[in-house]
Amino acid sequence: MMTGRAGPRLLLLDTNVVVAALLWNGMPRQLLERIVTETSLGVLSSPRLVAELARVLRRPRFEKRRRATGMSVDELVARYAMLATIVQPQNVMRVVEADTDDDHVLAAAVCAGASLIVTGDRSHLLPIGQHQGIAIVTPRAAWVMLGFV
């Protein structure tokens, strides 16, 4: 189990994890549900990441899954935004040369003092491993690190 500063430990869920949590019943959904029911944990995001979530959910490849939820993109995004602590990073450093969107993930996590960044991004974020002391892990690794096994 992770220990550390007082107050809830915050996890930043990358957009790919949030999409999976909202549209499918796998580990990302289990993780999000557990985070929001544990008083010692919280999920965080930023206006930029919420906007990215809306853009991604509107992609045609997700239309069938979206319809299966019975909610519109706006409803799904609003539902997630209500669960999250929204932060506004002032400085977005250039870290991930291949994907500027990932720089916003890192900036939001640093701004809020996140405990973990949870992602499925095997191309850019997971290879970094950690950023400014914040571990970058898969949903399954987060599950184990949080002691949910």
Side-chain angles (χ1 to χ4, degrees):
M1 192 91 148
M2 294 174 51
T3 58
R5 62 188 169 78
R9 290 167 297 163
L10 298 173
L11 287 78
L12 187 134
L13 305 183
D14 194 4
T15 301
N16 56 66
V17 173
V18 178
V19 168
L22 294 175
L23 300 182
W24 285 277
N25 289 320
M27 177 56 66
R29 177 171 289 173
Q30 292 173 29
L31 182 63
L32 178 59
E33 288 174 351
R34 190 71 183 263
I35 291 168
V36 299
T37 60
E38 294 280 332
T39 57
S40 64
L41 299 173
V43 65
L44 66 95
S45 192
S46 72
R48 171 89 180 230
L49 297 177
V50 170
E52 178 183 40
L53 176 62
R55 280 192 314 275
V56 171
L57 285 171
R58 284 188 173 87
R59 291 180 181 163
R61 70 180 181 191
F62 297 126
E63 184 176 354
K64 184 177 179 181
R65 295 299 307 180
R66 255 193 345 261
R67 280 188 283 134
T69 69
M71 288 187 267
S72 70
V73 168
D74 291 341
E75 289 168 326
L76 286 167
V77 171
R79 181 179 179 196
Y80 179 70
M82 284 180 17
L83 299 174
T85 298
I86 306 296
V87 298
Q88 182 65 61
Q90 298 304 308
N91 297 315
V92 179
M93 296 179 354
R94 200 74 191 101
V95 178
V96 185
E97 291 301 322
D99 190 347
T100 57
D101 287 337
D102 290 338
D103 292 333
H104 291 274
V105 170
L106 299 174
V110 169
C111 172
S115 299
L116 293 174
I117 296 169
V118 184
T119 185
D121 183 347
R122 297 187 185 283
S123 298
H124 306 118
L125 288 176
L126 286 170
I128 294 172
Q130 67 87 28
H131 178 70
Q132 295 191 18
I134 303 167
I136 302 171
V137 300
T138 64
R140 186 158 310 281
W143 186 266
V144 171
M145 291 174 80
L146 293 167
F148 296 155
V149 289

